[in-house]
Amino acid sequence: MSVTTERESELLASVPTGLLIGGQWRPAAAGGTFDVEDPSTGKTLLTIADAGPEDGAAALDAAAAAQESWARTAPRERGEILRRAFELVTERADDFALLMTLEMGKPLTEARGEVTYGAEFLRWFSEEAVRAFGRYSVSPDGKSRLLVNKKPVGPCLLITPWNFPLAMATRKIAPAVAAGCTMVLKPANLTPLTSSLFAAVMQEAGLPDGVLNVVHTRDAGGVTGPLIKDERLRKLSFTGSTPVGRSLLEAAAGNVLRTSMELGGNAPFVVFEDADLDAAVTGAMLAKLRNMGEACTAANRFIVHESVAEEFGRKFAAKMADMPTGRGTEDETKVGPLIDGKSRDKVHDLVSDALGNGATAVIGGAPVDGPGYFYQPTVLTGVAAGSRILKEEIFGPVAPIVTFSTEDEAVRLANDTEYGLVAYVFTKDLNRGLRMGERLETGMLGLNAGVVSNAAAPFGGVKQSGLGREGGLEGIEEYLYTQYIGIADPYTDSPVG
Ligand code: NAP
């Protein structure tokens, strides 16, 4: 065990280690378990149940059994459960933050930020639960009435990644609860503990048995594959990488399953010559180093006007150099470890490829020696077009800088990717900012802002970054379907043809 303090061991002892099925925490049917490790030490934090296909099936049985009565539960009651969950998560913010830091590695300050962000989905959708309005209208020919109603889609499979263990779960669970859907949650096997603690909080908040079921497993495909083929499942909501999303979309086609896909990103961060450079550097630090760069919204390519590139690069590198790496629980830590050795090796491969193609590492450029999976904050200049680092999601604290000379060139470079999640633009010219919004092929744009995530805003991408939106007014729609009821003219007795 890498538990270093009594507080950490007490917290870990409070996390359920079983699978949550039909309101009961239970071991895997086949008795399997797996270890969850601390990426800052590589040592085991806790050993938990490893679900097999039979556990997945039992979880869907429980979700399907609970669906009808949950859909009939008053919207206000569903909203109040979410509101209580918001209050419980907020009260236990320190526990959630520490647990995420332990299993995922992010510094405690960032983990606290994620608790606030993640809890906000509970509050937002507690308010949206009572506003899933339909409409009643007179048909254009006046001969019938049109009643349009919103209904829960039914049992959902929610698959979440490891990088935001709380927020990626609440961003799906909260709207599903608000809409009246039951769920099977399959968290990432690298960070299942936060989901389990959160599911226990949902129980405490009064969520009925069977509405939320949690199956963590090392066999993601083996457990979720049969569920996707099961006709009782009505919706798949996935957050993760584009290749896995693509294969899940193919599988979902079998039953024409409703899907929401929050996939990878390759965000351009564009700095124009008229930008406030200090603000751009502050934005760049947020957009790059949040979560050690392990965010779908992370700035992946810095596209900077040639006249300010040297100054921007110098100021940015100075800030990046002042970011100590370390275990996220330590006060001085600003950058935690990457999630595992494989991820760290991938980051280093991308850096090595860029260096091999003529780039210069202004700072960093190498893994950090010692236990854990740390990588030096890195700034690369002179990155050649065609380098892999400009095409692939880096998912690490590495910032490649390229330059441009005209707005058209900036747009071309920014759009030169199959991804389209988010872009960042720094300029003092509002017209230019708005023009960039129109010309960039992304679902979101940060205008003079390094962070866009907000529970009240529709989060999501275009192109191969995904389908659908989470949060905002749009978020609940992903869990509702529209039913139309045609009603005969109330002024005559004859039904209309
Ligand atoms: P990942 O490898 O695609 O895994 C995501 C989830 O899918 C995990 O729960 C994983 O389970 C599961 N999974 C993997 N293979 C599966 C399969 N064949 N069938 C069913 N489930 C499967 O992605 P990740 O490495 O965890 O997360 C990083 C990626 O997520 C990045 O690309 C990032 O951009 C993206 N992301 C996107 C958003 C967004 O909102 N657009 C937000 C956060 C992250 P295991 O853990 O057991 O492998």
Side-chain angles (χ1 to χ4, degrees), residues 159-163 168 171 186-190 217 220-221 224 238-242 244 248 262-265 296 393 395 421 459 465:
I159 303 180
T160 52
W162 47 264
N163 58 348
M168 296 303 96
R171 208 162 77 169
K186 208 291 301 160
N189 78 65
L190 293 166
T217 175
T224 61
F238 171 76
T239 299
S241 61
T242 296
V244 173
L248 290 173
E262 295 286 353
L263 308 178
C296 52
E393 217 178 359
F395 249 53
L421 188 61
F459 188 104
S465 286

